[in-house]
Amino acid sequence: MLPDPWLAFGVDTLIQAMPVSMRTSAAGIEFAPDGEVVAGPEFRTLEAAWIEGVAAMARAGARVIVDEVFLGGAASQQRWKKDLDALQVLWVGVRCETEVAAGREIARGDRVTGMAVSQAGVVHRGVVYDLQVDTTHTEALQCARAIAAHVG
Amino acid sequence: MLPDPWLAFGVDTLIQAMPVSMRTSAAGIEFAPDGEVVAGPEFRTLEAAWIEGVAAMARAGARVIVDEVFLGGAASQQRWKKDLDALQVLWVGVRCETEVAAGREIARGDRVTGMAVSQAGVVHRGVVYDLQVDTTHTEALQCARAIAAHVG
Amino acid sequence: MLPDPWLAFGVDTLIQAMPVSMRTSAAGIEFAPDGEVVAGPEFRTLEAAWIEGVAAMARAGARVIVDEVFLGGAASQQRWKKDLDALQVLWVGVRCETEVAAGREIARGDRVTGMAVSQAGVVHRGVVYDLQVDTTHTEALQCARAIAAHVG
Amino acid sequence: MLPDPWLAFGVDTLIQAMPVSMRTSAAGIEFAPDGEVVAGPEFRTLEAAWIEGVAAMARAGARVIVDEVFLGGAASQQRWKKDLDALQVLWVGVRCETEVAAGREIARGDRVTGMAVSQAGVVHRGVVYDLQVDTTHTEALQCARAIAAHVG
């Protein structure tokens, strides 16, 4: 929908770039059976470099889409904000009613049950957006159109 | 095998980050039926930003592994070299006899036949390495050990 | 949601079981650029054996879920019906307004555009269901609950 | 390499067809941290129906390739043998030196370490083959050629 080609990254891109051992150690990132996700110091170190690198790609002229989950709420947004600094950023909050999100998590069949409920509140706490979309009753394509309309 | 955790990226990471439309346009990247791969101007623009970003991650302190295919030989290496500039880099050439590579391509079953033969010579032409491994008769793990021994 | 464990198969299971060459020959299965899908004689031969085999699994006592796309409408249903014969079957029609389905196809980003519109009418033509669900405004989980309520 | 199209199935096809809950219960299938795999009674029930179904596909005229791991050695082969009964079967043993298999397991990076060593002996114990290939020093394509030469 966007006029120029872009690079899209998510937290999954970062996790897949890390050694498997990072997913099985407390220093890395842990996915608890109840759906909680805890990032340790080694994960944070690589993540900091990752954020700097993605910001550098944007500064080099690439249009960049980052699909992030702010497990630390406002503090997580801050980590990105300081590196994105002089860049033009559109902060978009993608929301969904917790009950519906939990239902989609079950329907996907490949997720740790409880992640949606566990993250529903946390990820938006204190986060400041330029625009918010809600997928509870709005199709993904409609949400995408609303966002694209804000991107010059 | 390496003592510190790292981030590993490949040309596939870049291609997956691009919009699907980039894979179906001459301005993007084309996979010809005979296995040839041709990168167009829009691909090159995003790739240049990507290289700057990955270099920035290394400068920010992350150990980074880049698994690249130098379709342009020496010129492709040069594109990385100028951004990796002051960084400490170990250039490793991973080789395989063309006939064996072509056989593995068939055995994988998910590749465009002809890519291995088409790329075998090109990707090493004029490229300068610190170290070379050959997977024709050496197991991947043995090659990895040889490489790890050169990484302080 | 179902009390007993089951085996779930789809047309994708069948396609992945076939040699790659079946996807690149007119005798196999062709995915046209406009989203049309055409099955040739070799595909039909293997499909017939596949259907007999899945029916045999059910007769052997397994609960089986088949997620099918009836490209041939009533004729496709008939192909399954004759083998499922003496078995207890719940035929469920999963519907979605064409425009919404087309939007989801775009939003997925990994589909040939046009498939949803091309198949919307065809796949239900003349097909007889015991139960129908509509995902246009109903969440997948709610649809699943409606179906599970009909499975003893 | 084979003249006629075939259907290829593996134990992974079966596991993916089962509900996720089967992979997280002792009645289903368990992957121990040391690489051991234990199949419970509910897994065995669905597996028995699966084997009957695959045999039915072959009886219906399809050429079928089954890529199995005989965790129970001769007893596992027996489970298939009784259903494949009157069918023409070529039993092929695919071997690899334990040390090399363990190395490939590590090099893949997506396996529970220890599975190769844990299974190396067990899966061939008491199993009778018509033909054996060894991938330790022979390329997959060469092994495939040797097998194809035995398939009329």
Side-chain angles (χ1 to χ4, degrees):
Chain A
M1 228 166 270
L2 298 172
D4 298 310
W6 31 261
L7 294 175
F9 301 109
V11 66
D12 290 345
T13 321
L14 173 59
I15 291 175
Q16 278 162 32
M18 294 178 173
V20 176
S21 61
M22 285 291 279
R23 276 165 256 168
T24 55
S25 120
I29 185 164
E30 286 188 306
F31 299 88
D34 68 346
E36 210 199 348
V37 180
V38 183
E42 292 195 345
F43 180 91
R44 288 291 176 224
T45 302
L46 286 180
E47 187 195 30
W50 163 255
I51 294 176
E52 278 200 44
V54 172
M57 292 178 205
R59 257 193 302 276
R63 310 284 181 126
V64 175
I65 297 169
V66 178
D67 172 14
E68 251 291 27
V69 182
F70 286 155
L71 294 175
S76 296
Q77 185 179 33
Q78 205 46 48
R79 267 200 288 274
W80 278 96
K81 227 167 192 166
K82 72 172 173 37
D83 282 328
L84 298 179
D85 199 17
L87 291 160
Q88 197 185 341
V89 182
L90 181 74
W91 295 94
V92 181
V94 181
R95 289 179 171 278
C96 182
E97 281 173 19
T98 304
E99 200 185 340
V100 171
R104 289 179 188 172
E105 177 182 78
I106 294 171
R108 284 180 62 130
D110 62 351
R111 291 293 171 100
V112 179
T113 305
M115 222 182 246
V117 167
S118 153
Q119 300 179 355
V122 191
V123 299
H124 296 294
R125 197 165 298 150
V127 177
V128 181
Y129 298 115
D130 298 309
L131 173 71
Q132 296 198 53
V133 294
D134 192 314
T135 71
T136 313
H137 302 294
T138 312
E139 290 289 315
L141 192 67
Q142 299 311 108
C143 294
R145 276 194 191 120
I147 299 167
H150 278 75
V151 178
Chain B
M1 228 167 270
L2 298 173
D4 298 309
W6 32 262
L7 294 175
F9 302 109
V11 67
D12 290 345
T13 320
L14 173 60
I15 291 175
Q16 277 161 33
M18 294 180 173
V20 176
S21 61
M22 286 290 279
R23 275 165 257 167
T24 56
S25 121
I29 185 164
E30 286 187 305
F31 299 87
D34 68 347
E36 210 199 347
V37 180
V38 184
E42 293 195 344
F43 181 90
R44 287 291 177 224
T45 303
L46 287 179
E47 187 196 30
W50 163 256
I51 294 175
E52 277 199 44
V54 172
M57 292 178 205
R59 259 191 303 275
R63 308 284 180 128
V64 174
I65 297 169
V66 178
D67 172 14
E68 252 290 28
V69 182
F70 287 153
L71 294 176
S76 297
Q77 185 179 33
Q78 206 44 47
R79 269 201 286 276
W80 277 97
K81 227 167 190 166
K82 72 172 171 38
D83 283 328
L84 298 179
D85 199 18
L87 291 160
Q88 197 186 342
V89 181
L90 180 75
W91 295 93
V92 181
V94 181
R95 289 180 171 277
C96 182
E97 281 173 20
T98 304
E99 199 185 341
V100 171
R104 290 180 187 171
E105 178 182 77
I106 294 172
R108 284 181 62 129
D110 62 350
R111 291 292 172 100
V112 179
T113 305
M115 221 182 246
V117 168
S118 153
Q119 299 179 356
V122 193
V123 301
H124 297 294
R125 196 166 299 150
V127 177
V128 180
Y129 299 114
D130 298 311
L131 174 70
Q132 296 198 56
V133 293
D134 192 313
T135 72
T136 312
H137 302 294
T138 313
E139 289 289 314
L141 192 68
Q142 299 311 109
C143 294
R145 274 194 193 122
I147 300 168
H150 279 75
V151 179
Chain C
M1 229 167 270
L2 298 173
D4 297 310
W6 31 262
L7 294 175
F9 301 110
V11 67
D12 290 345
T13 320
L14 173 59
I15 291 174
Q16 277 162 33
M18 293 180 175
V20 175
S21 61
M22 286 290 279
R23 276 165 256 168
T24 56
S25 121
I29 184 163
E30 285 188 307
F31 299 88
D34 68 347
E36 210 199 347
V37 180
V38 184
E42 293 195 343
F43 181 90
R44 287 292 176 223
T45 303
L46 287 179
E47 188 195 30
W50 163 254
I51 294 176
E52 277 199 44
V54 172
M57 291 178 205
R59 257 192 302 276
R63 310 283 181 128
V64 174
I65 297 169
V66 177
D67 172 14
E68 250 292 24
V69 182
F70 287 155
L71 294 176
S76 297
Q77 185 178 32
Q78 205 45 48
R79 268 199 287 275
W80 278 96
K81 228 168 191 165
K82 71 172 172 40
D83 282 328
L84 298 179
D85 199 17
L87 292 160
Q88 197 186 342
V89 181
L90 181 74
W91 294 94
V92 181
V94 182
R95 290 179 170 277
C96 182
E97 281 173 20
T98 304
E99 200 184 340
V100 171
R104 289 179 188 172
E105 178 182 78
I106 294 172
R108 284 180 62 130
D110 62 351
R111 290 293 171 100
V112 178
T113 305
M115 223 183 245
V117 167
S118 154
Q119 299 178 354
V122 192
V123 300
H124 296 294
R125 197 165 298 151
V127 177
V128 180
Y129 299 115
D130 297 310
L131 173 70
Q132 296 199 53
V133 294
D134 192 314
T135 72
T136 313
H137 302 296
T138 313
E139 289 289 315
L141 193 67
Q142 299 311 109
C143 295
R145 275 193 192 120
I147 299 167
H150 278 74
V151 179
Chain D
M1 229 166 268
L2 297 174
D4 298 308
W6 31 261
L7 294 175
F9 301 109
V11 67
D12 290 345
T13 320
L14 173 60
I15 290 175
Q16 277 161 34
M18 294 181 174
V20 176
S21 61
M22 286 291 279
R23 275 166 257 167
T24 55
S25 120
I29 184 163
E30 286 188 306
F31 300 87
D34 68 347
E36 209 199 347
V37 180
V38 184
E42 293 195 343
F43 181 90
R44 287 291 176 221
T45 303
L46 287 180
E47 188 196 29
W50 163 256
I51 294 175
E52 278 199 43
V54 172
M57 292 179 206
R59 258 192 303 275
R63 309 284 181 128
V64 174
I65 297 169
V66 177
D67 172 14
E68 251 290 27
V69 182
F70 287 154
L71 295 176
S76 298
Q77 185 179 33
Q78 205 45 47
R79 269 200 287 275
W80 278 96
K81 228 168 190 165
K82 73 171 171 39
D83 283 328
L84 297 179
D85 199 17
L87 292 160
Q88 197 185 343
V89 181
L90 181 74
W91 295 94
V92 181
V94 182
R95 290 180 170 277
C96 182
E97 281 173 19
T98 304
E99 199 185 340
V100 171
R104 290 181 187 171
E105 178 182 78
I106 293 172
R108 284 180 62 129
D110 62 351
R111 292 292 172 101
V112 178
T113 305
M115 221 181 247
V117 168
S118 153
Q119 299 178 356
V122 192
V123 300
H124 297 294
R125 196 166 298 151
V127 177
V128 181
Y129 299 114
D130 297 310
L131 174 70
Q132 296 198 54
V133 293
D134 191 314
T135 72
T136 312
H137 302 296
T138 313
E139 289 289 314
L141 193 67
Q142 298 311 108
C143 295
R145 275 193 192 122
I147 300 168
H150 278 75
V151 179

